Amino acid sequence: MSKLSVVIPAYNEEKRISPTISEIEKYLSGVDYDWELLVVNDGSSDNTAKIVNDFCKMNSRIKLIDNKKNKGKGGVVRQGMLEASGDWRLFMDADNSTPIKEIEKMWAYVDNYEVIIGSRYIKGSLITERQSFLRRFISRAGNLLIRVLILPGVEDTQCGFKMFSASACKRIFPKQRFMRWSFDMEILAIAKRLGYKIKEVPVVWENAAGSKLGGGIKVAMRTFWDLIKIKWNLVIGRYQ
């Protein structure tokens, strides 16, 4: 099988990054294909970079991209996906909310799709620990707007478990303009505009403690405004 790159954006993740890397390393050590793990440090002020670097010393397949300044989650995901060397490139969250073993469900679709994404909202998915009612409401309402305006047919644009072929990465991510929370919906909108079919795969997801996405209403309003900008970019052909 082709080489897999796993990309993890990390900002002040000293409490969660070690068990996540350990689980990924353990799983990938048992697969029959080549792999690499890239952790992209987003200007953390804690010991995230040092912890990752210690793993790098023990396993050459684990690599640290250490940014001294904060770029935003979308910025470091973009950086990691473009610097990765795998034929397939998966980005996932540092909190391990969707475990690496869920990638097994994606391999069945690689012959027919170049954009394969994890979904929490389709048949076969499992949410083991739910968010608060307010955050669930905001998430589902926001996703409805996203489907109506830019991504009809995609049930879950925000799950942080997405895999792209190398060729799709090289076409999609250079066109990305949003470097913070709205990047997920933007890269999928770009993929669709470029003619890629998007396959959603049901995954296991847990609402991990210590989420960086706070301020529900404020974030929702900012995301809505970004959604309008993405729609405008599509209308004027900015992603061609």
Side-chain angles (χ1 to χ4, degrees):
M1 189 180 286
S2 304
K3 181 177 180 179
L4 170 71
S5 296
V6 178
V7 174
I8 298 179
Y11 175 67
N12 288 346
E13 292 287 357
E14 66 178 7
K15 295 180 179 179
R16 303 191 293 187
I17 196 66
S18 183
T20 296
I21 294 176
S22 295
E23 182 174 323
I24 294 171
E25 182 180 23
K26 180 180 179 181
Y27 173 83
L28 291 178
S29 294
V31 301
D32 60 358
Y33 49 86
D34 194 11
W35 60 273
E36 65 176 357
L37 170 60
L38 282 69
V39 180
V40 190
N41 180 39
D42 193 16
S44 298
S45 58
D46 64 2
N47 290 318
T48 297
K50 180 183 183 302
I51 293 169
V52 176
N53 195 47
D54 289 340
F55 278 97
C56 297
K57 293 174 182 177
M58 295 183 287
N59 190 333
S60 61
R61 291 181 173 182
I62 301 174
K63 302 172 184 178
L64 170 66
I65 301 175
D66 191 12
N67 294 297
K68 302 304 181 183
K69 294 184 178 180
N70 182 269
K71 294 185 174 185
K73 183 180 179 181
V76 291
V77 166
R78 178 182 185 273
Q79 182 182 12
M81 296 295 271
L82 291 174
E83 291 191 26
S85 60
D87 301 292
W88 288 93
R89 304 173 188 184
L90 170 82
F91 74 81
M92 60 180 289
D93 291 333
D95 62 12
N96 205 29
S97 53
T98 297
I100 184 64
K101 66 182 179 180
E102 293 298 291
I103 198 174
E104 294 176 13
K105 301 173 182 176
M106 294 179 159
W107 292 126
Y109 302 100
V110 296
D111 290 338
N112 297 309
Y113 296 87
E114 293 188 68
V115 181
I116 306 169
I117 65 174
S119 177
R120 300 162 292 180
Y121 304 135
I122 62 175
K123 185 178 179 180
S125 63
L126 175 64
I127 299 177
T128 60
E129 183 177 339
R130 292 186 176 273
Q131 297 173 311
S132 68
F133 172 80
L134 177 61
R135 289 191 62 180
R136 293 202 310 272
F137 176 80
I138 291 172
S139 175
R140 299 305 286 137
N143 193 253
L144 176 61
L145 281 173
I146 292 167
R147 294 201 308 271
V148 169
L149 289 175
I150 63 173
L151 287 165
V154 179
E155 293 294 324
D156 187 2
T157 61
Q158 303 308 112
C159 181
F161 199 82
K162 296 181 173 69
M163 186 166 77
F164 300 76
S165 69
S167 59
C169 281
K170 292 172 184 176
R171 292 188 67 200
I172 295 168
F173 284 91
K175 299 180 184 296
Q176 178 186 334
R177 292 171 175 264
F178 290 84
M179 300 302 161
R180 297 195 179 273
W181 299 111
S182 301
F183 83 96
D184 286 276
M185 58 186 180
E186 184 189 31
I187 58 175
L188 295 181
I190 293 169
K192 187 171 183 178
R193 175 52 56 93
L194 294 177
Y196 291 102
K197 296 183 295 180
I198 300 170
K199 177 62 181 178
E200 283 189 272
V201 176
V203 295
V204 173
W205 186 85
E206 179 177 356
N207 180 35
S211 170
K212 298 293 191 301
L213 185 57
I217 299 296
K218 183 178 180 180
V219 170
M221 293 303 297
R222 187 170 67 227
T223 302
F224 174 73
W225 180 238
D226 289 347
L227 176 60
I228 298 301
K229 292 178 182 177
I230 293 168
K231 177 66 175 180
W232 177 246
N233 288 343
L234 290 167
V235 169
I236 66 175
R238 187 162 283 167
Y239 297 130
Q240 300 290 4

